[in-house]
């Protein structure tokens, strides 16, 4: 082509030099141009064909590469996807558990339904439905992924670019060989995908039937429960002496109850392993603390031999189990009855251990009888289907309850009973068990059975809760006695009254918990509690934010727990308990607590935000606003916060240190985020910003406790019995609860005064702020004690004589 173009150019050059152009040459020239134009067209077409062929080759290579990648992904997915055999086994297990759950409800119904059977079946079916729905979701996702892989492969191998064959025979042969290789690789994968899709589809059909069956059965059971809840007084069976309407062997009924009980317990524990772990950790933490508190009392020789007022320290593990289970069993929502029985048995066992050699034998026997009757009633309550033999057992149990209740109420040794409210629970049990007898005899089986277990549960739970409150009260009081810094706002309780009388708040919590546990045994309880739960769980929307009352409560609960935990850490970690030797007292961690509290509060805030689901962009906006605020007018606040961190790290002053600031003496009460509190010796609390605290001339005298020694000077008559005076004073000092017994008060005679013998009393108050009030109380108590024992407090006297009788008569008038 290049040669042709050169020749053409040479010819044109020669023609340009010619002067004469004849027609033959002109004709030749036209022919040449036509040939060149045809040549150009052919060349352009050939170039375009070559370009299209190269483009098609690139597209074909890309498509084949994508097909290979798609096949590789499909192979990997088929290897890692859940095995259909696992799904098939799970569906088989669901079917098996379903058949066990509906026994006595949908099959082998008997004469009538029972509340306990419906409740257990409903819980099992709800769990099975959740499992079936979860498996259905997995199968749907798996089927969708298989369909996507098949669609991707089909779309790739159906693209038109693959069918543009090369014109060259050699290239065509190579390309056909590539297509053969791809076809060989695609066909097995496509076949496996088809087979997998068919298997998954079969399982989808099965699981859809399972889900529909479970939903239908649950709806029917809910209908039964609604009827039972609204018709709780209606007769279900014949009178006890009449002939039974149907008969099923008792062994089958027991097997059914055992199987359903284990299923409900297994499912519930699987779903609440975190709460169960938390419960165990709380028991362990409480045990460690009570054991350490007991060790403190032993070291300071203030532990009573009979543990009167110190029962919580006698068996720390039993106390921890009883307290934690009694309080935190309510974190388990709608637990199966068998789990509650396990909790109550553990609590009863712990309280029985604590009762040993602590209460009189008579009331110990009463407690053991109640526990045994309760355990038998609880075992009977695990039987889910009614039978005539069981109704006779129920009758005997109820009669025993009525007889034992009447005996205790009539001939009980009330003066030996430590908790008088137990008699109220026993009286209520007697009435409830009598109601169970009547209902059982006249065919009101469900109500009779609910009353049977509720009567004994009422007594046992009441006793457990009463003693739990007593143990908590003792624990707070004992902790108050051995720690030198009491923060009255910590638990919002007056610690000076703890140990004397139980706070009303504790009884309110007890009654609410008792009502919940008592009401769970009746069919209508869910229809009362259900709307309340729905009210708290319903989502509400304000603008773009959706929330529920449960979420808000959860937020405040988590933050409250974080705040209380930070205060508890500060209370129990920064203070020093009463030590026999002040020099051996271990220095508290003091201002390090600020960092610990910041960490606890920060974690609590993030947990609360995460639990409620507050969007992070809202938090970002708040932080941005805070940044602007700091730039404009919060420099002083930031300065105090940073100063607090400096105090926490460098420790120029520690919590509990005796300090003097600008001539004002006192002790550092707390070191907060922004400010610190210094308690003056006058009883005032000076709140000082941390920045001012660092910049002031601070004198740190010592690290010490919060006790304060005070003195009281008294004069007694010369004819007083000095030993009696000393005894009376010691008795009065020992009866004052706000005084420390270590160091103990000191009474010493100081001097012979003009009209009296002076006695000086040295005493230490547990809290320096109580010094003035304690001194006032002691003066009143000493004055009354001296009058009672004939001890006089002399005062200076002068005799005035009037020689004139008129003046004397005037004075007499």
């Amino acid at each position: 082509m290049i040669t042709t173009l050169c020749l053409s150019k040479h010819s044109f050059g020669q023609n340009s030099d010619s002067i004469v152009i004849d027609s033959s040459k002109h004709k030749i020239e036209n022919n040449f141009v036509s040939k060149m134009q045809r040549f150009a067209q052919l060349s352009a077409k050939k170039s375009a064909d070559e370009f299209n062929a190269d483009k098609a080759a690139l597209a074909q290579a890309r498509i084949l590469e994508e097909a290979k990648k798609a096949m590789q992904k499909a192979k990997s997915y088929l290897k890692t996807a859940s095995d259909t055999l696992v799904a098939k086994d799970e569906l088989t297990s669901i079917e098996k558990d379903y058949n066990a759950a509906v026994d006595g409800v949908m099959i082998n119904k008997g004469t009538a339904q029972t509340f306990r059977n419906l409740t257990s079946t409903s819980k099992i079916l709800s769990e099975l439905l959740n499992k079936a729905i979860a498996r259905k979701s997995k199968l749907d996702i798996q089927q969708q992924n298989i369909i996507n892989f098949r669609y991707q492969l089909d779309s790739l191998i159906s693209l038109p670019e693959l069918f543009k064959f090369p014109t060259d025979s050699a290239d065509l042969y190579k390309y056909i060989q590539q297509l053969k290789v791809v076809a060989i690789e695609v066909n097995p994968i496509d076949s496996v995908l088809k087979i997998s899709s068919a298997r998954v589809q079969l399982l989808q059909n099965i699981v859809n039937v399972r889900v529909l069956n479970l939903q239908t059965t649950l709806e029917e059971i809910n209908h039964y429960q609604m009827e039972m809840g609204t018709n709780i007084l209606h007769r279900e069976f014949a009178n006890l002496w009449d002939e039974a309407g149907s008969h099923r062997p008792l062994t089958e009924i027991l097997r059914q109850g055992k199987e359903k009980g284990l299923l409900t317990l297994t499912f519930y524990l699987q779903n609440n392993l975190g709460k169960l772990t938390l419960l165990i950790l709380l028991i362990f933490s409480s045990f460690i603390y009570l054991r350490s508190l007991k060790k403190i009392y032993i070291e300071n020789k203030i532990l009573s031999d009979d543990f009167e007022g110190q029962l919580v320290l006698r068996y720390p593990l039993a106390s921890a189990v009883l307290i934690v289970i009694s309080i935190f069993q309510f974190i388990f929502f709608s637990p199966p009855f068998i789990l509650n029985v396990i909790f109550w048995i553990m609590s009863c066992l712990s309280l029985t251990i604590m009762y040993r050699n602590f209460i009189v034998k008579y009331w110990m026997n009463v407690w053991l009888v109640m526990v045994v009757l309760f355990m038998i009633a609880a075992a009977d309550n695990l039987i889910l289907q009614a039978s005539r033999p069981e109704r006779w057992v129920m009758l005997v149990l109820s009669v025993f309850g009525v007889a034992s209740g009447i005996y205790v109420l009539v001939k009980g040794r009330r003066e030996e009973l430590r908790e008088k409210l137990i008699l109220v629970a026993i009286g209520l049990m007697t009435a409830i068990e009598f109601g169970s007898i009547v209902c059982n005899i006249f065919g009101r089986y469900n109500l009779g059975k609910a009353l049977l277990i509720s009567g004994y549960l009422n007594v046992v739970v009441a006793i457990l809760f009463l003693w739990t409150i007593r143990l908590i009260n003792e624990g707070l009081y004992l902790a108050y006695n051995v720690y030198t810094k009491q923060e009255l706002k910590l638990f919002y309780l007056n610690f000076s009254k703890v140990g004397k009388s139980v706070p009303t708040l504790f009884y309110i919590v007890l009654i609410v918990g008792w009502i919940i546990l008592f009401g769970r045994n009746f069919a209508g309880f869910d229809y009362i509690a259900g709307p309340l739960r729905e009210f708290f769980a319903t989502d509400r929307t304000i603008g773009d934010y959706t929330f529920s009352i449960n979420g808000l409560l959860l937020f405040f609960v988590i933050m409250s727990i974080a705040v209380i935990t930070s205060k508890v850490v500060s209370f129990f970690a920064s203070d020093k308990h009463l030590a026999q030797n002040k020099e051996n007292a271990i220095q508290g961690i003091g201002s390090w607590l600020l960092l610990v509290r910041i960490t606890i509060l920060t974690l609590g805030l993030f947990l609360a935000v995460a639990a409620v689901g507050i969007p992070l962009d809202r938090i970002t906006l708040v932080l941005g606003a805070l940044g602007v605020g700091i730039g404009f007018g919060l420099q002083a606040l930031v300065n105090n916060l940073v100063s607090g961190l400096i105090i926490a790290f460098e420790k120029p002053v520690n919590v509990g240190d005796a300090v003097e600031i600008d001539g004002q003496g006192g002790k550092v009460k707390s070191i907060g985020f922004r400010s610190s509190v210094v308690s003056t010796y006058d009883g005032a609390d000076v709140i000082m910003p941390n920045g001012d605290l660092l910049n002031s001339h601070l004198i740190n005298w010592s690290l010490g406790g919060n006790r304060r020694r005070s003195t009281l000077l008294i004069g007694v008559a010369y004819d007083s019995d000095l030993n009696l005076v000393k005894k009376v004073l010691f008795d009065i000092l020992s009866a004052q609860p706000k005084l420390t017994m270590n160091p103990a008060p000191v009474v010493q005679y100081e001097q012979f005064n003009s009209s009296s013998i002076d006695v000086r009393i040295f005493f230490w108050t547990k809290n320096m702020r109580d010094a003035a009030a304690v001194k006032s109380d002691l003066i009143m108590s000493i004055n009354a004690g001296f009058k009672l024992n004939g001890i006089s407090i002399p005062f200076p006297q002068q005799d005035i004589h009037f020689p004139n009788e008129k003046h004397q008569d005037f004075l007499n008038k």
Side-chain angles (χ1 to χ4, degrees), residues 42-210:
L42 292 173
S43 298
K45 184 177 182 303
K46 183 178 180 181
S47 298
D49 291 340
E50 291 177 353
F51 174 75
N52 290 331
D54 293 339
K55 183 179 178 181
L58 290 174
Q60 290 166 356
R62 177 181 57 79
I63 293 170
L64 293 176
E65 185 64 27
E66 289 180 359
K68 290 180 180 179
K69 290 181 179 179
M71 287 186 292
Q72 195 65 34
K73 290 180 180 178
K75 287 181 180 179
S76 300
Y77 178 77
L78 291 174
K79 289 180 180 178
T80 57
S82 59
D83 192 358
T84 54
L85 292 177
V86 176
K88 190 179 297 184
D89 292 340
E90 184 176 5
L91 293 176
T92 303
S93 176
I94 290 175
E95 180 67 16
K96 178 184 176 183
D97 294 340
Y98 171 82
N99 292 330
V102 299
D103 185 14
V105 177
M106 308 304 295
I107 56 175
N108 300 321
K109 293 184 178 181
T111 306
Q113 301 290 351
T114 66
F115 170 66
R116 286 280 298 118
N117 200 12
L118 289 176
T119 303
S120 298
T121 303
S122 176
K123 290 180 178 180
I124 295 173
L125 293 183
S126 297
E127 182 63 29
L128 294 178
L129 179 60
N130 292 334
K131 285 188 175 183
I133 292 175
R135 176 53 62 182
K136 180 180 182 301
S137 300
K138 291 180 181 179
L139 290 174
D140 291 343
I141 293 173
Q142 186 177 357
Q143 182 73 304
Q144 187 60 45
N145 289 333
I146 292 174
I147 292 173
N148 290 338
F149 281 122
R150 289 194 63 195
Y151 174 78
Q152 187 178 8
L153 288 174
D154 291 342
S155 61
L156 286 173
I157 62 178
S158 300
L159 290 174
E161 288 84 350
L162 288 179
F163 301 99
K164 293 181 179 180
F165 299 106
T167 56
D168 185 74
S169 59
D171 294 338
L172 178 61
Y173 177 77
K174 292 180 180 178
Y175 180 64
I176 291 175
Q177 294 299 321
Q178 288 181 347
L179 291 179
K180 286 183 179 180
V181 172
V182 172
I184 292 172
E185 292 179 351
V186 167
N187 285 333
I189 298 297
D190 189 61
S191 299
V192 174
L193 289 174
K194 287 182 180 179
I195 295 172
S196 298
S197 178
R199 290 176 178 174
V200 173
Q201 185 62 51
L202 179 62
L203 291 174
Q204 281 182 310
N205 296 335
I206 297 174
V207 76
N208 288 333
V209 172
R210 295 282 189 275

Side-chain angles (χ1 to χ4, degrees), residues 480-499:
Y480 171 83
N481 279 338
V482 298
Y483 285 87
T484 60
K485 171 178 172 289
Q486 286 77 33
E487 181 66 49
L488 295 182
K489 297 184 296 182
L490 180 61
F491 297 105
Y492 304 98
L493 297 173
N494 189 346
F495 278 84
S496 63
K497 295 183 179 179
V498 172

Side-chain angles (χ1 to χ4, degrees), residues 11 28 163 175 213 215 218 231 247 313 323 406 421 469 472 513 547 569 596 627 633 673 765:
S11 301
I28 294 172
F163 301 99
Y175 180 64
N213 195 16
Q215 289 175 340
L218 268 175
N231 302 314
H247 175 73
L313 302 181
I323 293 173
I406 293 175
L421 289 176
I469 288 178
I472 294 174
F547 69 95
V569 170
V596 176
F673 303 120
T765 55

